[in-house]
Amino acid sequence: MGFPGTWMTESETLVYRVVPKCACSTIGQIMFWSDHGRFFDGDIHDAQAGLHKWSMEASQPKIEAAVKGHTAPAFTCVRNPYARILSSFFDKIAGIQRNGKRYRGNLVPQLAQKYGIDVGSPDNGFDFDQIASFRRFLLFARDTIRWRRPMEPDIHWSAMSGHISTFIVNGGRYDRIFFTETFNEGMQQVLNLIEPKVPVDLAAIPRFNESEGHGPKRAHKVSDYFDDLSRHLIWEIYKKDFQLFRYDFDNPDNKFPLGEVDLDEVHAKLGD
């Protein structure tokens, strides 16, 4: 199984378990900068050099040795589940991807047909009922996660605890898990664990949101998208995420966690 979704600096100083929709583009660029003193020109997910990735065969032995020997600090980043699933919807379902096409080709037409989802188009200024379409998308997301139908769950809306657990189950241990909502503070704690080849000034680092500007903007506050049924579905899908990462299930508009992550609890509950 190894360590899918794991990146490591080329200098082998930091190990990161990627969690989609949780500032992963920005984190990858910070890791790249800390070795090279420049950002990768393009989407860091496309980088084939300058950063070790489990998806690149030559990187696998190095990542495995660093993780199993715990020779470099390992970390990841989490995000409020309400905001994360909304972001997935607006980016992957309602938005147009970097290549100018819809995400996963025929996925959006399939959702229109099977779930009645309408996401508008650039031609009509993405004019559609965001709340109704999001709630239908949520039913689809739950179906993929619960029954793996009509397709396998997508990494962008499968639970964070699922991504994070593979690293633990296969022999890794996290030194830090921090929150997207307090990004600079959390990332600084990670950087304090190492001596980067190139100093990183987090206040000066831009946010790399590769999906921004390719789709509709969210028109309502978070809680407007979640009626009783939606919240029931959210709890069904993300119960572990709320509990382990201390997010506020009762108030969708409170994006901040209610407490710090207990790393021992995370390793105990996700490691079996």
Side-chain angles (χ1 to χ4, degrees), residues 85 111 114-115 117 135-154 157 233 236-238:
I85 187 82
L111 289 180
K114 291 190 174 175
Y115 290 83
I117 291 175
R135 289 175 183 173
R136 291 176 179 191
F137 161 71
L138 201 52
L139 278 170
F140 160 73
R142 189 279 308 265
D143 290 350
T144 64
I145 287 163
R146 186 79 186 271
W147 293 293
R148 306 188 111 69
R149 290 200 305 260
M151 58 179 270
E152 291 286 310
D154 186 274
W157 55 78
L233 295 174
E236 186 181 331
I237 304 170
Y238 301 123

PDB file of all heavy atoms in Angstrom, residues 85 111 114-115 117 135-154 157 233 236-238:
ATOM      1  N   ILE A  85     -16.825  20.670   1.713  1.00  0.00           N
ATOM      2  CA  ILE A  85     -17.728  20.071   0.725  1.00  0.00           C
ATOM      3  C   ILE A  85     -18.327  21.151  -0.174  1.00  0.00           C
ATOM      4  O   ILE A  85     -18.519  20.936  -1.370  1.00  0.00           O
ATOM      5  CB  ILE A  85     -18.826  19.214   1.405  1.00  0.00           C
ATOM      6  CG1 ILE A  85     -19.665  18.451   0.372  1.00  0.00           C
ATOM      7  CG2 ILE A  85     -19.744  20.033   2.282  1.00  0.00           C
ATOM      8  CD1 ILE A  85     -19.108  17.187  -0.136  1.00  0.00           C
ATOM      9  N   LEU A 111     -24.659  13.881 -13.506  1.00  0.00           N
ATOM     10  CA  LEU A 111     -25.343  14.397 -12.315  1.00  0.00           C
ATOM     11  C   LEU A 111     -26.621  15.132 -12.689  1.00  0.00           C
ATOM     12  O   LEU A 111     -27.610  15.089 -11.960  1.00  0.00           O
ATOM     13  CB  LEU A 111     -24.416  15.340 -11.541  1.00  0.00           C
ATOM     14  CG  LEU A 111     -23.247  14.669 -10.816  1.00  0.00           C
ATOM     15  CD1 LEU A 111     -22.402  15.701 -10.101  1.00  0.00           C
ATOM     16  CD2 LEU A 111     -23.759  13.650  -9.833  1.00  0.00           C
ATOM     17  N   LYS A 114     -29.084  12.161 -13.479  1.00  0.00           N
ATOM     18  CA  LYS A 114     -29.485  11.242 -12.401  1.00  0.00           C
ATOM     19  C   LYS A 114     -29.959  11.965 -11.145  1.00  0.00           C
ATOM     20  O   LYS A 114     -30.740  11.415 -10.371  1.00  0.00           O
ATOM     21  CB  LYS A 114     -28.318  10.314 -12.038  1.00  0.00           C
ATOM     22  CG  LYS A 114     -27.994   9.317 -13.131  1.00  0.00           C
ATOM     23  CD  LYS A 114     -27.007   8.271 -12.647  1.00  0.00           C
ATOM     24  CE  LYS A 114     -26.810   7.190 -13.703  1.00  0.00           C
ATOM     25  NZ  LYS A 114     -25.788   6.230 -13.352  1.00  0.00           N
ATOM     26  N   TYR A 115     -29.452  13.163 -10.898  1.00  0.00           N
ATOM     27  CA  TYR A 115     -29.773  13.854  -9.645  1.00  0.00           C
ATOM     28  C   TYR A 115     -30.447  15.207  -9.868  1.00  0.00           C
ATOM     29  O   TYR A 115     -30.744  15.913  -8.915  1.00  0.00           O
ATOM     30  CB  TYR A 115     -28.506  14.054  -8.793  1.00  0.00           C
ATOM     31  CG  TYR A 115     -27.979  12.759  -8.219  1.00  0.00           C
ATOM     32  CD1 TYR A 115     -27.165  11.920  -8.962  1.00  0.00           C
ATOM     33  CD2 TYR A 115     -28.301  12.366  -6.926  1.00  0.00           C
ATOM     34  CE1 TYR A 115     -26.681  10.725  -8.447  1.00  0.00           C
ATOM     35  CE2 TYR A 115     -27.820  11.182  -6.386  1.00  0.00           C
ATOM     36  CZ  TYR A 115     -27.015  10.361  -7.156  1.00  0.00           C
ATOM     37  OH  TYR A 115     -26.541   9.181  -6.625  1.00  0.00           O
ATOM     38  N   ILE A 117     -29.209  17.941 -11.072  1.00  0.00           N
ATOM     39  CA  ILE A 117     -28.338  19.074 -10.711  1.00  0.00           C
ATOM     40  C   ILE A 117     -28.167  20.006 -11.911  1.00  0.00           C
ATOM     41  O   ILE A 117     -27.885  19.552 -13.014  1.00  0.00           O
ATOM     42  CB  ILE A 117     -26.967  18.564 -10.230  1.00  0.00           C
ATOM     43  CG1 ILE A 117     -27.118  17.866  -8.878  1.00  0.00           C
ATOM     44  CG2 ILE A 117     -25.957  19.700 -10.133  1.00  0.00           C
ATOM     45  CD1 ILE A 117     -25.853  17.219  -8.378  1.00  0.00           C
ATOM     46  N   ARG A 135     -27.574  20.768  -2.594  1.00  0.00           N
ATOM     47  CA  ARG A 135     -28.200  19.715  -1.780  1.00  0.00           C
ATOM     48  C   ARG A 135     -28.348  18.416  -2.572  1.00  0.00           C
ATOM     49  O   ARG A 135     -28.212  17.321  -2.026  1.00  0.00           O
ATOM     50  CB  ARG A 135     -29.552  20.189  -1.246  1.00  0.00           C
ATOM     51  CG  ARG A 135     -29.404  21.264  -0.175  1.00  0.00           C
ATOM     52  CD  ARG A 135     -30.741  21.830   0.261  1.00  0.00           C
ATOM     53  NE  ARG A 135     -30.563  22.895   1.235  1.00  0.00           N
ATOM     54  CZ  ARG A 135     -31.552  23.663   1.682  1.00  0.00           C
ATOM     55  NH1 ARG A 135     -32.790  23.496   1.227  1.00  0.00           N
ATOM     56  NH2 ARG A 135     -31.314  24.612   2.574  1.00  0.00           N
ATOM     57  N   ARG A 136     -28.600  18.536  -3.865  1.00  0.00           N
ATOM     58  CA  ARG A 136     -28.668  17.329  -4.698  1.00  0.00           C
ATOM     59  C   ARG A 136     -27.278  16.713  -4.873  1.00  0.00           C
ATOM     60  O   ARG A 136     -27.127  15.486  -4.887  1.00  0.00           O
ATOM     61  CB  ARG A 136     -29.298  17.673  -6.048  1.00  0.00           C
ATOM     62  CG  ARG A 136     -30.771  18.017  -5.900  1.00  0.00           C
ATOM     63  CD  ARG A 136     -31.419  18.465  -7.189  1.00  0.00           C
ATOM     64  NE  ARG A 136     -32.837  18.748  -6.973  1.00  0.00           N
ATOM     65  CZ  ARG A 136     -33.714  18.960  -7.939  1.00  0.00           C
ATOM     66  NH1 ARG A 136     -33.327  18.920  -9.203  1.00  0.00           N
ATOM     67  NH2 ARG A 136     -34.968  19.207  -7.661  1.00  0.00           N
ATOM     68  N   PHE A 137     -26.286  17.570  -5.017  1.00  0.00           N
ATOM     69  CA  PHE A 137     -24.908  17.071  -5.084  1.00  0.00           C
ATOM     70  C   PHE A 137     -24.550  16.303  -3.814  1.00  0.00           C
ATOM     71  O   PHE A 137     -23.862  15.270  -3.862  1.00  0.00           O
ATOM     72  CB  PHE A 137     -23.930  18.234  -5.290  1.00  0.00           C
ATOM     73  CG  PHE A 137     -22.508  17.896  -4.933  1.00  0.00           C
ATOM     74  CD1 PHE A 137     -21.765  17.040  -5.729  1.00  0.00           C
ATOM     75  CD2 PHE A 137     -21.921  18.419  -3.790  1.00  0.00           C
ATOM     76  CE1 PHE A 137     -20.452  16.708  -5.400  1.00  0.00           C
ATOM     77  CE2 PHE A 137     -20.612  18.093  -3.457  1.00  0.00           C
ATOM     78  CZ  PHE A 137     -19.887  17.243  -4.259  1.00  0.00           C
ATOM     79  N   LEU A 138     -25.016  16.806  -2.669  1.00  0.00           N
ATOM     80  CA  LEU A 138     -24.714  16.167  -1.395  1.00  0.00           C
ATOM     81  C   LEU A 138     -25.278  14.737  -1.346  1.00  0.00           C
ATOM     82  O   LEU A 138     -24.625  13.821  -0.831  1.00  0.00           O
ATOM     83  CB  LEU A 138     -25.298  17.013  -0.255  1.00  0.00           C
ATOM     84  CG  LEU A 138     -24.720  16.821   1.135  1.00  0.00           C
ATOM     85  CD1 LEU A 138     -23.202  16.948   1.117  1.00  0.00           C
ATOM     86  CD2 LEU A 138     -25.322  17.863   2.082  1.00  0.00           C
ATOM     87  N   LEU A 139     -26.463  14.559  -1.899  1.00  0.00           N
ATOM     88  CA  LEU A 139     -27.030  13.204  -1.997  1.00  0.00           C
ATOM     89  C   LEU A 139     -26.121  12.309  -2.838  1.00  0.00           C
ATOM     90  O   LEU A 139     -25.842  11.159  -2.482  1.00  0.00           O
ATOM     91  CB  LEU A 139     -28.420  13.263  -2.640  1.00  0.00           C
ATOM     92  CG  LEU A 139     -29.591  13.617  -1.728  1.00  0.00           C
ATOM     93  CD1 LEU A 139     -30.836  13.863  -2.565  1.00  0.00           C
ATOM     94  CD2 LEU A 139     -29.850  12.498  -0.721  1.00  0.00           C
ATOM     95  N   PHE A 140     -25.645  12.841  -3.947  1.00  0.00           N
ATOM     96  CA  PHE A 140     -24.731  12.096  -4.817  1.00  0.00           C
ATOM     97  C   PHE A 140     -23.438  11.752  -4.068  1.00  0.00           C
ATOM     98  O   PHE A 140     -22.966  10.601  -4.108  1.00  0.00           O
ATOM     99  CB  PHE A 140     -24.424  12.923  -6.063  1.00  0.00           C
ATOM    100  CG  PHE A 140     -23.186  12.508  -6.792  1.00  0.00           C
ATOM    101  CD1 PHE A 140     -23.160  11.333  -7.547  1.00  0.00           C
ATOM    102  CD2 PHE A 140     -22.032  13.288  -6.730  1.00  0.00           C
ATOM    103  CE1 PHE A 140     -22.005  10.951  -8.222  1.00  0.00           C
ATOM    104  CE2 PHE A 140     -20.876  12.906  -7.404  1.00  0.00           C
ATOM    105  CZ  PHE A 140     -20.860  11.734  -8.150  1.00  0.00           C
ATOM    106  N   ALA A 141     -22.863  12.742  -3.363  1.00  0.00           N
ATOM    107  CA  ALA A 141     -21.608  12.507  -2.630  1.00  0.00           C
ATOM    108  C   ALA A 141     -21.805  11.401  -1.597  1.00  0.00           C
ATOM    109  O   ALA A 141     -20.967  10.506  -1.446  1.00  0.00           O
ATOM    110  CB  ALA A 141     -21.135  13.803  -1.966  1.00  0.00           C
ATOM    111  N   ARG A 142     -22.944  11.459  -0.877  1.00  0.00           N
ATOM    112  CA  ARG A 142     -23.229  10.422   0.119  1.00  0.00           C
ATOM    113  C   ARG A 142     -23.348   9.052  -0.550  1.00  0.00           C
ATOM    114  O   ARG A 142     -22.835   8.055  -0.048  1.00  0.00           O
ATOM    115  CB  ARG A 142     -24.521  10.777   0.862  1.00  0.00           C
ATOM    116  CG  ARG A 142     -24.853   9.892   2.090  1.00  0.00           C
ATOM    117  CD  ARG A 142     -25.500   8.558   1.761  1.00  0.00           C
ATOM    118  NE  ARG A 142     -26.670   8.697   0.907  1.00  0.00           N
ATOM    119  CZ  ARG A 142     -27.918   8.762   1.350  1.00  0.00           C
ATOM    120  NH1 ARG A 142     -28.165   8.712   2.646  1.00  0.00           N
ATOM    121  NH2 ARG A 142     -28.916   8.864   0.485  1.00  0.00           N
ATOM    122  N   ASP A 143     -24.024   8.996  -1.699  1.00  0.00           N
ATOM    123  CA  ASP A 143     -24.193   7.712  -2.398  1.00  0.00           C
ATOM    124  C   ASP A 143     -22.838   7.123  -2.803  1.00  0.00           C
ATOM    125  O   ASP A 143     -22.623   5.909  -2.716  1.00  0.00           O
ATOM    126  CB  ASP A 143     -25.070   7.889  -3.640  1.00  0.00           C
ATOM    127  CG  ASP A 143     -26.529   8.182  -3.278  1.00  0.00           C
ATOM    128  OD1 ASP A 143     -26.887   8.065  -2.093  1.00  0.00           O
ATOM    129  OD2 ASP A 143     -27.303   8.548  -4.196  1.00  0.00           O
ATOM    130  N   THR A 144     -21.925   7.985  -3.252  1.00  0.00           N
ATOM    131  CA  THR A 144     -20.603   7.475  -3.663  1.00  0.00           C
ATOM    132  C   THR A 144     -19.828   6.950  -2.456  1.00  0.00           C
ATOM    133  O   THR A 144     -19.119   5.948  -2.557  1.00  0.00           O
ATOM    134  CB  THR A 144     -19.747   8.557  -4.367  1.00  0.00           C
ATOM    135  OG1 THR A 144     -19.448   9.620  -3.455  1.00  0.00           O
ATOM    136  CG2 THR A 144     -20.446   9.119  -5.590  1.00  0.00           C
ATOM    137  N   ILE A 145     -19.965   7.623  -1.323  1.00  0.00           N
ATOM    138  CA  ILE A 145     -19.203   7.239  -0.132  1.00  0.00           C
ATOM    139  C   ILE A 145     -19.826   6.021   0.551  1.00  0.00           C
ATOM    140  O   ILE A 145     -19.128   5.097   0.973  1.00  0.00           O
ATOM    141  CB  ILE A 145     -19.090   8.446   0.832  1.00  0.00           C
ATOM    142  CG1 ILE A 145     -18.109   9.471   0.241  1.00  0.00           C
ATOM    143  CG2 ILE A 145     -18.663   8.016   2.220  1.00  0.00           C
ATOM    144  CD1 ILE A 145     -18.182  10.840   0.837  1.00  0.00           C
ATOM    145  N   ARG A 146     -21.154   6.000   0.626  1.00  0.00           N
ATOM    146  CA  ARG A 146     -21.837   4.926   1.345  1.00  0.00           C
ATOM    147  C   ARG A 146     -21.920   3.647   0.509  1.00  0.00           C
ATOM    148  O   ARG A 146     -21.713   2.546   1.017  1.00  0.00           O
ATOM    149  CB  ARG A 146     -23.237   5.423   1.703  1.00  0.00           C
ATOM    150  CG  ARG A 146     -24.051   4.496   2.581  1.00  0.00           C
ATOM    151  CD  ARG A 146     -23.643   4.585   4.031  1.00  0.00           C
ATOM    152  NE  ARG A 146     -24.327   3.605   4.843  1.00  0.00           N
ATOM    153  CZ  ARG A 146     -25.501   3.811   5.425  1.00  0.00           C
ATOM    154  NH1 ARG A 146     -26.122   4.965   5.280  1.00  0.00           N
ATOM    155  NH2 ARG A 146     -26.050   2.874   6.180  1.00  0.00           N
ATOM    156  N   TRP A 147     -22.253   3.790  -0.762  1.00  0.00           N
ATOM    157  CA  TRP A 147     -22.514   2.598  -1.594  1.00  0.00           C
ATOM    158  C   TRP A 147     -21.591   2.480  -2.808  1.00  0.00           C
ATOM    159  O   TRP A 147     -21.730   1.560  -3.598  1.00  0.00           O
ATOM    160  CB  TRP A 147     -23.978   2.618  -2.068  1.00  0.00           C
ATOM    161  CG  TRP A 147     -24.921   2.443  -0.928  1.00  0.00           C
ATOM    162  CD1 TRP A 147     -25.089   1.326  -0.150  1.00  0.00           C
ATOM    163  CD2 TRP A 147     -25.837   3.423  -0.405  1.00  0.00           C
ATOM    164  NE1 TRP A 147     -26.045   1.554   0.809  1.00  0.00           N
ATOM    165  CE2 TRP A 147     -26.528   2.821   0.687  1.00  0.00           C
ATOM    166  CE3 TRP A 147     -26.148   4.746  -0.761  1.00  0.00           C
ATOM    167  CZ2 TRP A 147     -27.488   3.497   1.422  1.00  0.00           C
ATOM    168  CZ3 TRP A 147     -27.105   5.418  -0.020  1.00  0.00           C
ATOM    169  CH2 TRP A 147     -27.766   4.790   1.045  1.00  0.00           C
ATOM    170  N   ARG A 148     -20.681   3.449  -2.952  1.00  0.00           N
ATOM    171  CA  ARG A 148     -19.765   3.458  -4.098  1.00  0.00           C
ATOM    172  C   ARG A 148     -20.531   3.423  -5.421  1.00  0.00           C
ATOM    173  O   ARG A 148     -20.093   2.818  -6.399  1.00  0.00           O
ATOM    174  CB  ARG A 148     -18.754   2.303  -4.008  1.00  0.00           C
ATOM    175  CG  ARG A 148     -18.011   2.283  -2.696  1.00  0.00           C
ATOM    176  CD  ARG A 148     -16.874   1.293  -2.646  1.00  0.00           C
ATOM    177  NE  ARG A 148     -15.557   1.918  -2.609  1.00  0.00           N
ATOM    178  CZ  ARG A 148     -15.077   2.611  -1.582  1.00  0.00           C
ATOM    179  NH1 ARG A 148     -15.814   2.765  -0.508  1.00  0.00           N
ATOM    180  NH2 ARG A 148     -13.885   3.154  -1.627  1.00  0.00           N
ATOM    181  N   ARG A 149     -21.709   4.064  -5.423  1.00  0.00           N
ATOM    182  CA  ARG A 149     -22.528   4.184  -6.626  1.00  0.00           C
ATOM    183  C   ARG A 149     -22.994   5.632  -6.753  1.00  0.00           C
ATOM    184  O   ARG A 149     -23.244   6.260  -5.725  1.00  0.00           O
ATOM    185  CB  ARG A 149     -23.793   3.282  -6.528  1.00  0.00           C
ATOM    186  CG  ARG A 149     -23.502   1.793  -6.597  1.00  0.00           C
ATOM    187  CD  ARG A 149     -24.758   1.000  -6.993  1.00  0.00           C
ATOM    188  NE  ARG A 149     -25.894   1.264  -6.123  1.00  0.00           N
ATOM    189  CZ  ARG A 149     -26.276   0.468  -5.121  1.00  0.00           C
ATOM    190  NH1 ARG A 149     -25.618  -0.638  -4.868  1.00  0.00           N
ATOM    191  NH2 ARG A 149     -27.319   0.771  -4.381  1.00  0.00           N
ATOM    192  N   PRO A 150     -23.136   6.181  -7.923  1.00  0.00           N
ATOM    193  CA  PRO A 150     -22.895   5.567  -9.233  1.00  0.00           C
ATOM    194  C   PRO A 150     -21.420   5.520  -9.623  1.00  0.00           C
ATOM    195  O   PRO A 150     -21.091   5.171 -10.752  1.00  0.00           O
ATOM    196  CB  PRO A 150     -23.670   6.497 -10.181  1.00  0.00           C
ATOM    197  CG  PRO A 150     -23.656   7.825  -9.504  1.00  0.00           C
ATOM    198  CD  PRO A 150     -23.685   7.545  -8.035  1.00  0.00           C
ATOM    199  N   MET A 151     -20.521   5.860  -8.681  1.00  0.00           N
ATOM    200  CA  MET A 151     -19.079   5.822  -8.949  1.00  0.00           C
ATOM    201  C   MET A 151     -18.361   5.727  -7.614  1.00  0.00           C
ATOM    202  O   MET A 151     -18.963   5.892  -6.553  1.00  0.00           O
ATOM    203  CB  MET A 151     -18.636   7.086  -9.704  1.00  0.00           C
ATOM    204  CG  MET A 151     -18.947   8.370  -8.959  1.00  0.00           C
ATOM    205  SD  MET A 151     -18.412   9.868  -9.794  1.00  0.00           S
ATOM    206  CE  MET A 151     -16.760  10.031  -9.112  1.00  0.00           C
ATOM    207  N   GLU A 152     -17.065   5.460  -7.670  1.00  0.00           N
ATOM    208  CA  GLU A 152     -16.247   5.474  -6.460  1.00  0.00           C
ATOM    209  C   GLU A 152     -16.198   6.900  -5.901  1.00  0.00           C
ATOM    210  O   GLU A 152     -16.261   7.861  -6.667  1.00  0.00           O
ATOM    211  CB  GLU A 152     -14.819   5.021  -6.784  1.00  0.00           C
ATOM    212  CG  GLU A 152     -14.690   3.566  -7.160  1.00  0.00           C
ATOM    213  CD  GLU A 152     -14.818   2.639  -5.969  1.00  0.00           C
ATOM    214  OE1 GLU A 152     -14.131   2.860  -4.950  1.00  0.00           O
ATOM    215  OE2 GLU A 152     -15.641   1.703  -6.041  1.00  0.00           O
ATOM    216  N   PRO A 153     -16.073   7.058  -4.577  1.00  0.00           N
ATOM    217  CA  PRO A 153     -15.988   8.415  -4.032  1.00  0.00           C
ATOM    218  C   PRO A 153     -14.759   9.158  -4.544  1.00  0.00           C
ATOM    219  O   PRO A 153     -13.707   8.547  -4.746  1.00  0.00           O
ATOM    220  CB  PRO A 153     -15.912   8.199  -2.522  1.00  0.00           C
ATOM    221  CG  PRO A 153     -15.552   6.768  -2.328  1.00  0.00           C
ATOM    222  CD  PRO A 153     -16.016   6.028  -3.533  1.00  0.00           C
ATOM    223  N   ASP A 154     -14.899  10.422  -4.785  1.00  0.00           N
ATOM    224  CA  ASP A 154     -13.819  11.249  -5.302  1.00  0.00           C
ATOM    225  C   ASP A 154     -12.965  11.756  -4.137  1.00  0.00           C
ATOM    226  O   ASP A 154     -13.486  12.039  -3.049  1.00  0.00           O
ATOM    227  CB  ASP A 154     -14.441  12.437  -6.051  1.00  0.00           C
ATOM    228  CG  ASP A 154     -13.404  13.279  -6.760  1.00  0.00           C
ATOM    229  OD1 ASP A 154     -12.834  14.186  -6.116  1.00  0.00           O
ATOM    230  OD2 ASP A 154     -13.158  13.033  -7.941  1.00  0.00           O
ATOM    231  N   TRP A 157     -14.112  14.940  -2.090  1.00  0.00           N
ATOM    232  CA  TRP A 157     -15.183  14.980  -1.088  1.00  0.00           C
ATOM    233  C   TRP A 157     -15.210  13.754  -0.185  1.00  0.00           C
ATOM    234  O   TRP A 157     -16.052  13.647   0.686  1.00  0.00           O
ATOM    235  CB  TRP A 157     -16.554  15.225  -1.729  1.00  0.00           C
ATOM    236  CG  TRP A 157     -16.981  14.286  -2.814  1.00  0.00           C
ATOM    237  CD1 TRP A 157     -17.471  13.019  -2.669  1.00  0.00           C
ATOM    238  CD2 TRP A 157     -16.976  14.549  -4.227  1.00  0.00           C
ATOM    239  NE1 TRP A 157     -17.764  12.475  -3.896  1.00  0.00           N
ATOM    240  CE2 TRP A 157     -17.477  13.394  -4.879  1.00  0.00           C
ATOM    241  CE3 TRP A 157     -16.620  15.653  -5.015  1.00  0.00           C
ATOM    242  CZ2 TRP A 157     -17.614  13.307  -6.269  1.00  0.00           C
ATOM    243  CZ3 TRP A 157     -16.743  15.553  -6.390  1.00  0.00           C
ATOM    244  CH2 TRP A 157     -17.234  14.399  -6.994  1.00  0.00           C
ATOM    245  N   LEU A 233     -27.000  14.246   6.349  1.00  0.00           N
ATOM    246  CA  LEU A 233     -26.079  13.615   5.399  1.00  0.00           C
ATOM    247  C   LEU A 233     -24.628  13.962   5.730  1.00  0.00           C
ATOM    248  O   LEU A 233     -23.734  13.107   5.655  1.00  0.00           O
ATOM    249  CB  LEU A 233     -26.406  14.053   3.969  1.00  0.00           C
ATOM    250  CG  LEU A 233     -27.768  13.610   3.412  1.00  0.00           C
ATOM    251  CD1 LEU A 233     -27.998  14.245   2.032  1.00  0.00           C
ATOM    252  CD2 LEU A 233     -27.861  12.095   3.317  1.00  0.00           C
ATOM    253  N   GLU A 236     -23.487  11.910   8.546  1.00  0.00           N
ATOM    254  CA  GLU A 236     -23.282  10.530   8.092  1.00  0.00           C
ATOM    255  C   GLU A 236     -21.925  10.385   7.398  1.00  0.00           C
ATOM    256  O   GLU A 236     -21.201   9.408   7.600  1.00  0.00           O
ATOM    257  CB  GLU A 236     -24.417  10.148   7.125  1.00  0.00           C
ATOM    258  CG  GLU A 236     -24.403   8.695   6.694  1.00  0.00           C
ATOM    259  CD  GLU A 236     -25.542   8.373   5.712  1.00  0.00           C
ATOM    260  OE1 GLU A 236     -26.598   9.034   5.772  1.00  0.00           O
ATOM    261  OE2 GLU A 236     -25.346   7.468   4.890  1.00  0.00           O
ATOM    262  N   ILE A 237     -21.571  11.375   6.593  1.00  0.00           N
ATOM    263  CA  ILE A 237     -20.321  11.288   5.813  1.00  0.00           C
ATOM    264  C   ILE A 237     -19.098  11.674   6.644  1.00  0.00           C
ATOM    265  O   ILE A 237     -18.041  11.053   6.547  1.00  0.00           O
ATOM    266  CB  ILE A 237     -20.383  12.218   4.575  1.00  0.00           C
ATOM    267  CG1 ILE A 237     -21.588  11.910   3.692  1.00  0.00           C
ATOM    268  CG2 ILE A 237     -19.120  12.092   3.744  1.00  0.00           C
ATOM    269  CD1 ILE A 237     -21.817  12.956   2.589  1.00  0.00           C
ATOM    270  N   TYR A 238     -19.232  12.722   7.461  1.00  0.00           N
ATOM    271  CA  TYR A 238     -18.051  13.350   8.066  1.00  0.00           C
ATOM    272  C   TYR A 238     -18.025  13.316   9.593  1.00  0.00           C
ATOM    273  O   TYR A 238     -17.311  14.101  10.210  1.00  0.00           O
ATOM    274  CB  TYR A 238     -17.947  14.812   7.604  1.00  0.00           C
ATOM    275  CG  TYR A 238     -17.835  14.965   6.108  1.00  0.00           C
ATOM    276  CD1 TYR A 238     -18.746  15.738   5.393  1.00  0.00           C
ATOM    277  CD2 TYR A 238     -16.831  14.319   5.392  1.00  0.00           C
ATOM    278  CE1 TYR A 238     -18.649  15.876   4.014  1.00  0.00           C
ATOM    279  CE2 TYR A 238     -16.724  14.453   4.020  1.00  0.00           C
ATOM    280  CZ  TYR A 238     -17.637  15.233   3.335  1.00  0.00           C
ATOM    281  OH  TYR A 238     -17.549  15.359   1.968  1.00  0.00           O
TER     282      TYR A 238
END
